[in-house]
Amino acid sequence: MKPDFNNMNKEELRQYVITHQDDKEAFYIYIDRLKSHASNKVYSNSLSPQEIDEVITDYVKEKQN
């Protein structure tokens, strides 16, 4: 009987995927969850040096809180 992947937190699901590498369903659920919680932002390559500095400063401030 498979565990309920929806009730597992990300770390529990990760550990399950590592120990059950043949369980493709768990793997795809884990990847979907990672993608849905992705925190990567994409910025235009036309940002000025000042805008880049502002983005980095805002990011550092956000991580400190």
Side-chain angles (χ1 to χ4, degrees):
M1 184 164 144
K2 285 190 179 189
D4 184 0
F5 301 126
N6 294 322
N7 287 327
M8 295 174 122
N9 66 35
K10 189 170 71 172
E11 184 58 30
E12 291 170 334
L13 185 54
R14 178 181 173 274
Q15 288 301 318
Y16 180 87
V17 169
I18 289 170
T19 58
H20 298 86
Q21 295 181 9
D22 58 326
D23 190 338
K24 293 188 184 307
E25 177 188 7
F27 173 76
Y28 289 122
I29 290 171
Y30 179 67
I31 295 301
D32 287 343
R33 194 175 295 179
L34 286 179
K35 286 181 180 180
S36 71
H37 293 95
S39 61
N40 295 337
K41 290 185 179 180
V42 178
Y43 296 94
S44 168
N45 63 354
S46 64
L47 291 176
S48 70
Q50 181 180 4
E51 290 171 318
I52 293 170
D53 186 53
E54 289 173 13
V55 168
I56 293 171
T57 301
D58 290 344
Y59 176 80
V60 170
K61 285 180 184 177
E62 182 180 307
K63 290 297 179 184
Q64 289 176 344
N65 292 332

